[in-house]
Amino acid sequence: MTTGESFENSPLRKVYVRESQNPVEPEFTNPEIKWLYCNDINIEQEKLQVILSLPRESLIADLKKVLEDSVRRFEYFRDKEDEFDESDDFDDFEGEVSWFPMHAIVILGEIKASEAFESLLEVLKQDEDYLEFWFGDLIHYFFWEALYKTGADKLDRMLKLILNKETGPTGRFVIVYCIEQVGHHQPERKTEVSEWFRKLLSSIADSEADAALTDYDFGGIAVWSILDLTYPELMPEVEKIYEMGSASPGTCGSIEIVREEINKPYNGIGKQILMNTFDRYSEMSDILLKDMSDDPDDYDDSDFDDSDLEDYDLEDDEGEGNTGYYNYNTEPYIAPYKPGRNDPCVCGSGKKYKKCCMNKPEN
């Protein structure tokens, strides 16, 4: 990205292109925006309230600069994190922390800043290393909501981004989840949302050359959303991508399971709550605390008995392995949480795992 080029209109490119990097710190109209750079997930509500009360036009402009900064100075912040990893002195790295892009996205969603929708899409265009560095797994908890609040009426634009070969799997998953929520929260738009998923599945079926789009995990996620919304009219398209091997049975079950589940009454099982900024932060903190208690070392299989498998037929009538599921609505197994290097630390400090407990003794 060259100096002076519009952030929203910049061409798709990988974040590691050094020519796009600009070490110059942005200037903000509102100095309070700098709080986003020195506060983690436990940022005080008082500070958030002050930022939310800033003049809308200048606030949106400043938050767009924050997102642009996360791209233009990505290598700067990444290298700074690497320096921290090699240092034994935690005090040398107090100050700027790596939460400011998330803060900006949550706030833009809270104020329903449709003017910044393209800036949010620009973030999702970045490669997986960028998204992992800034957001980790938390991206799945907050990003869809910002897209929903700023661009729920821009379904065609989100489909275009999904179909772009430069868009990675994380960006595609976030968009599909956002569209699913449009279907849940705005049932009067069922025809429009159903047609959106029809176009997506048809594109998957016609895009054998695009390995990312035909990835069976992505196809499985799309089918999962369709099952949650109960759109039986899309079964022909679902059948086709199953035939192609572009939908993972490990996500939704066998095609026989899908045929059965898609015709069941709508139960709203996949509908998420739309939250305000304070509740969203609180929810993410609660998730981290819950994950902290899910220690795999606490698992005790001493009470396991082979009789636990009696209700599940491991072979079908012809003696072949059964790869189906009990039922689509069966409570899934949730693997114990294992934080990534850039995820929030499980101790609840609000710092990244690698900056906190990653190298500490387990006791």
Side-chain angles (χ1 to χ4, degrees):
M1 189 184 302
T2 58
T3 303
E5 184 178 359
S6 170
F7 184 50
E8 293 88 343
N9 297 324
S10 61
L12 285 173
R13 76 279 180 265
K14 292 298 181 184
V15 76
Y16 286 128
V17 177
R18 282 201 173 273
E19 290 75 7
S20 72
Q21 296 295 292
N22 185 340
V24 178
E25 186 175 338
E27 296 182 2
F28 300 112
T29 301
N30 301 287
E32 295 87 350
I33 297 297
K34 290 297 292 181
W35 292 343
L36 304 183
Y37 283 77
C38 53
N39 284 274
D40 54 32
I41 197 171
N42 294 316
I43 184 171
E44 297 92 334
Q45 286 196 11
E46 292 77 10
K47 289 182 177 179
L48 289 173
Q49 287 171 335
V50 169
I51 292 174
L52 288 168
S53 67
L54 294 172
R56 178 182 175 86
E57 184 175 351
S58 63
L59 173 58
I60 292 174
D62 280 346
L63 293 175
K64 289 166 70 174
K65 286 182 181 180
V66 169
L67 297 182
E68 182 178 356
D69 189 34
S70 73
V71 175
R72 288 187 174 177
R73 289 202 294 161
F74 168 72
E75 292 183 357
Y76 162 78
F77 286 103
R78 183 196 59 189
D79 293 345
K80 189 173 181 179
E81 295 268 338
D82 290 341
E83 290 177 23
F84 177 88
D85 289 345
E86 298 171 2
S87 173
D88 294 328
D89 189 355
F90 284 18
D91 293 334
D92 288 345
F93 293 86
E94 293 299 324
E96 288 181 317
V97 292
S98 305
W99 298 89
F100 61 89
M102 185 190 73
H103 292 317
I105 292 167
V106 172
I107 294 171
L108 286 169
E110 174 68 14
I111 63 176
K112 298 179 174 59
S114 58
E115 308 93 316
F117 178 73
E118 289 295 328
S119 293
L120 297 179
L121 294 189
E122 181 70 16
V123 170
L124 290 180
K125 290 177 185 177
Q126 306 306 311
D127 65 19
E128 296 300 301
D129 290 323
Y130 166 96
L131 296 174
E132 167 64 23
F133 177 81
W134 289 121
F135 310 118
D137 287 342
L138 279 180
I139 192 171
H140 301 292
Y141 293 102
F142 71 90
F143 211 122
W144 69 267
E145 188 172 41
L147 288 181
Y148 180 94
K149 291 179 177 179
T150 61
D153 59 336
K154 298 179 175 65
L155 271 58
D156 288 343
R157 181 69 185 90
M158 286 190 269
L159 181 62
K160 183 178 179 180
L161 182 60
I162 279 186
L163 299 182
N164 192 305
K165 292 184 178 182
E166 297 294 332
T167 305
T170 298
R172 284 171 166 162
F173 291 166
V174 170
I175 290 174
V176 166
Y177 200 57
C178 173
I179 302 301
E180 178 188 336
Q181 296 309 311
V182 174
H184 287 303
H185 288 273
Q186 302 180 37
E188 70 278 5
R189 298 176 65 185
K190 177 179 179 178
T191 300
E192 181 184 0
V193 174
S194 175
E195 183 60 24
W196 189 93
F197 276 103
R198 186 189 305 280
K199 291 178 181 178
L200 175 60
L201 296 186
S202 297
S203 297
I204 292 175
D206 296 336
S207 301
E208 294 186 10
D210 184 354
L213 191 61
T214 57
D215 177 83
Y216 76 153
D217 285 332
F218 176 67
I221 291 295
V223 172
W224 185 282
S225 291
I226 290 168
L227 291 178
D228 279 350
L229 293 167
T230 59
Y231 288 171
E233 66 273 14
L234 298 181
M235 196 61 214
E237 286 77 13
V238 171
E239 296 263 7
K240 187 169 184 179
I241 67 169
Y242 258 82
E243 291 172 4
M244 293 174 54
S246 296
S248 170
T251 302
C252 303
S254 66
I255 189 62
E256 291 77 18
I257 295 291
V258 172
R259 289 180 187 132
E260 178 182 351
E261 296 298 330
I262 203 169
N263 285 294
K264 290 185 176 181
Y266 174 75
N267 58 17
I269 191 171
K271 186 176 182 179
Q272 297 298 311
I273 299 174
L274 292 169
M275 299 182 182
N276 60 42
T277 296
F278 311 113
D279 290 341
R280 181 59 65 192
Y281 276 105
S282 177
E283 184 218 35
M284 289 191 288
S285 295
D286 289 345
I287 288 170
L288 295 178
L289 290 173
K290 178 181 181 300
D291 291 338
M292 182 172 61
S293 67
D294 292 337
D295 188 342
D297 294 333
D298 292 338
Y299 176 69
D300 180 9
D301 63 355
S302 60
D303 294 331
F304 180 81
D305 188 275
D306 289 344
S307 62
D308 293 332
L309 298 176
E310 290 179 356
D311 293 332
Y312 184 55
D313 186 5
L314 296 177
E315 294 186 351
D316 60 20
D317 293 339
E318 298 179 358
E320 299 292 335
N322 188 341
T323 59
Y325 284 53
Y326 280 102
N327 186 290
Y328 166 71
N329 286 324
T330 299
E331 185 71 20
Y333 166 71
I334 305 298
Y337 178 72
K338 183 178 181 180
R341 288 164 49 84
N342 291 312
D343 287 340
C345 187
V346 294
C347 74
S349 68
K351 295 182 179 180
K352 286 192 175 184
Y353 181 52
K354 68 181 181 181
K355 284 190 174 185
C356 195
C357 294
M358 185 174 76
N359 296 318
K360 294 181 180 179
E362 291 188 6
N363 59 355

